[in-house]
Each structure stands twice: as C-alpha cells, then as structure tokens.
Amino acid sequence: MPLWLMFLPVIAFYLVFKYAPMAGLVIAFKNYTFYEGIWGSQWVGFDNFQMLFTQSQSLQIIRNTLLLSVLSVVIAFPFPIMLAIMLNEVRRKWFQKTVQTLVYLPHFFSWVIVGGLVVTLFAQTGIVNVLLERLTGQSFAFLFHEASWVAIFLGSGIWKDAGFSAIIYLAALTSIDPSLYEAASIDGAGKWKQIRHITLPGIAPTIVIMLILAMGRVMEVGFDQVYVLQNSIVSGISEVISTYIYAIGLQGGQFSLTAALGLFESLVAFVLVLLTNAVARRFGKGLW
C-alpha cells in the first residue's frame, strides 16, 4: 500500500495531462470556434484532413519534419553511445569526471541560450565567418543556405543532448561483468574487439529501447530548437509541424486544422514504434 500511495501522483499526472486532453482531439473532426465550444462546434468529419493533405504547404511541412527527424535519428543517435564507450575507457578518474561535466553541461541550457550561441558563431559577422574570411578572403552565409542550416541544426542538437543521453549508456555499461574483458584480454583481444564483442552486445538491450523511444519521437522535431534557428530564407526546410501548429493554430486561430495535423503526427509515431518493436522482437530485443 505505501508503494501504491507513492505511485498515485504519477498516475494522476498521466491521467490529467496525458489522457484527459485526448478528448480534445475531437476538434480535428469539427469546425471549432471559441463561441460554440468543443462539443457545440459543427461536425465536418474528415474535411480538415482532406484540406491538410491537399495543401502543398502542409505536405512540404510533413516532408521537412520527417527529413529532419530521420536525419537526427540516423546521425545523432549513435553519438551518445560512442561518447559513453569512450568515457568508459578512460582510466584517469579526474579526467573522466571533468569531461563528463563539460559534455553534460549544455543539456541544462535552454534552446534560447544555445540558439543565441549558434547564431553568434555562424552569423555573417560571427566568429566562424571572421576566421573564415581571414583564411580564405570570403565569408559564407551558413544560416541562409539549406544544407549548412541542416548541418548546424543537427550539430547543435548533438552538442546539447549527446552528453546527457550518454548517462543511460554509462549506467548500462556498469552491468557488464569485468571478468569478460579480462578473459578477452588474456585471449589476445584488443580494445576494438572487446568493444565489438563485449561492450556493444552488453548494452544492446538499452540501445534497442532507446531506439524504439526515438522512433516514437520521429514526428516531434523540437519546437524550441527550430524556432530559434530558423529564418524566412530557409523556411523551405526549416518549417516543421511544431512551428506550423504555432503559427497557424495559435496565431492564426485554425485550431481544427492543426489538431488534425497533430493527430496525424501522433498516429505516425505510434505506427513507427510498433514497427520498430516488431523488428526488434525478431532479434529477441523487443520492448514488449
């Protein structure tokens, strides 16, 4: 009973902030107005979804969201794993703790601060362009070219979150029996072979769980990061679902249309989680 009492606030949190708001998804099938309210607004069925998928702008926004999310998973996902393995191999504790502190620190900065640093570094008169102009004689508009903007978007995300995400893998590494490394060393296995045959298989269940969770967030490109870095020149690649919902839904008052987009986003994420888990189960690493 004491354990259940401790768990009650968690249950209440999810019921109030996660499950109860699902009733509001009905406005995706209505022409919602403030005056008529959620239940009094006119029922329009799938008209909002039809409008959503016939607008070229909406399709481009969905494409941008998928592109940036898939790139984040493919490129950024391995970095915390590699960082955790490298930190685990450090034998000087003072150096290990110093590096850990430095790589964890960016996670606690808000995206407003990180975005300001990034813009300061890569602006036309920023530090990077000043150095580039001294070396090559010309500058480059990093934030105004789509390819370089995507690279900065991915790089800033890795810099901010890789260190903190590595904590989970460092915890998983502590569960590996040290005698396995000793036996492998006696058999002549070097560090690379030890990592390949002991370390990676040892943390494979954790990697699979984190990958499944990451796939559930594929359609959720962070609003803060995109909003502080985007500009009108690169809107063709930087306009994503979260910023579109803010601009059209909150500022433009088209709540039904953006609710439909949000529902579509959640359904795609749900399907991706199921598919990723189904693939993982074939290798005996499924989450359920």
Side-chain angles (χ1 to χ4, degrees):
M1 185 57 68
L3 295 177
W4 279 107
L5 289 174
M6 291 174 63
F7 194 57
L8 277 177
V10 179
I11 297 175
F13 171 82
Y14 277 94
L15 288 176
V16 173
F17 294 104
K18 300 296 183 181
Y19 288 96
M22 287 185 182
L25 289 174
V26 71
I27 70 173
F29 304 94
K30 293 190 170 191
N31 184 20
Y32 173 76
T33 63
F34 276 124
Y35 177 73
E36 295 174 316
I38 294 178
W39 307 114
S41 298
Q42 180 187 3
W43 183 271
V44 295
F46 289 94
D47 287 358
N48 290 316
F49 293 91
Q50 184 177 2
M51 183 185 303
L52 185 66
F53 293 111
T54 53
Q55 292 181 354
S56 59
Q57 183 184 8
S58 300
L59 297 176
Q60 183 184 15
I61 287 166
I62 294 172
R63 179 188 66 85
N64 292 345
T65 305
L66 283 171
L67 176 63
L68 293 177
S69 296
V70 170
L71 285 175
S72 295
V73 171
V74 172
I75 297 175
F77 183 78
F79 273 85
I81 302 171
M82 294 187 292
L83 181 60
I85 292 173
M86 287 189 290
L87 288 173
N88 188 59
E89 294 296 327
V90 175
R91 292 295 170 258
R92 296 185 181 276
K93 291 298 180 182
W94 66 268
F95 182 75
Q96 184 189 52
K97 292 183 181 298
T98 302
V99 173
Q100 283 181 352
T101 302
L102 291 175
V103 297
Y104 293 168
L105 193 60
H107 175 78
F108 300 99
F109 297 154
S110 71
W111 270 113
V112 176
I113 297 173
V114 175
L117 291 173
V118 171
V119 172
T120 301
L121 286 171
F122 293 98
Q124 285 290 101
T125 56
I127 298 172
V128 175
N129 266 318
V130 169
L131 295 175
L132 186 64
E133 193 168 1
R134 288 180 180 178
L135 293 173
T136 64
Q138 57 184 1
S139 60
F140 183 80
F142 291 98
L143 296 172
F144 301 103
H145 289 81
E146 292 188 354
S148 57
W149 187 91
V150 171
I152 291 171
F153 171 84
L154 295 172
S156 61
I158 292 170
W159 180 77
K160 186 177 187 298
D161 293 324
F164 191 79
S165 299
I167 294 175
I168 298 172
Y169 299 107
L170 283 169
L173 286 168
T174 60
S175 65
I176 300 176
D177 189 353
S179 63
L180 295 174
Y181 293 103
E182 295 173 3
S185 179
I186 293 172
D187 290 339
K191 284 296 181 184
W192 286 111
K193 288 187 176 180
Q194 291 178 26
I195 292 171
R196 179 181 175 185
H197 297 287
I198 300 175
T199 304
L200 289 177
I203 63 174
T206 304
I207 294 174
V208 171
I209 291 173
M210 297 302 293
L211 179 61
I212 292 172
L213 295 176
M215 293 304 294
R217 297 190 297 270
V218 158
M219 296 294 288
E220 297 180 7
V221 178
F223 169 80
D224 296 343
Q225 182 182 6
V226 177
Y227 189 74
V228 299
L229 294 178
Q230 71 176 181
N231 56 74
S232 58
I233 297 176
V234 293
S235 60
I237 192 67
S238 66
E239 193 70 47
V240 295
I241 289 177
S242 57
T243 57
Y244 182 75
I245 289 176
Y246 171 73
I248 304 300
L250 295 179
Q251 294 183 325
Q254 299 185 39
F255 300 104
S256 294
L257 183 64
T258 49
L261 183 58
L263 180 57
F264 167 76
E265 176 186 7
S266 300
L267 289 174
V268 171
F270 179 66
V271 171
L272 288 174
V273 167
L274 293 179
L275 289 175
T276 308
N277 187 70
V279 173
R281 283 179 61 184
R282 290 184 175 273
F283 296 94
K285 303 292 185 181
L287 189 56
W288 67 85

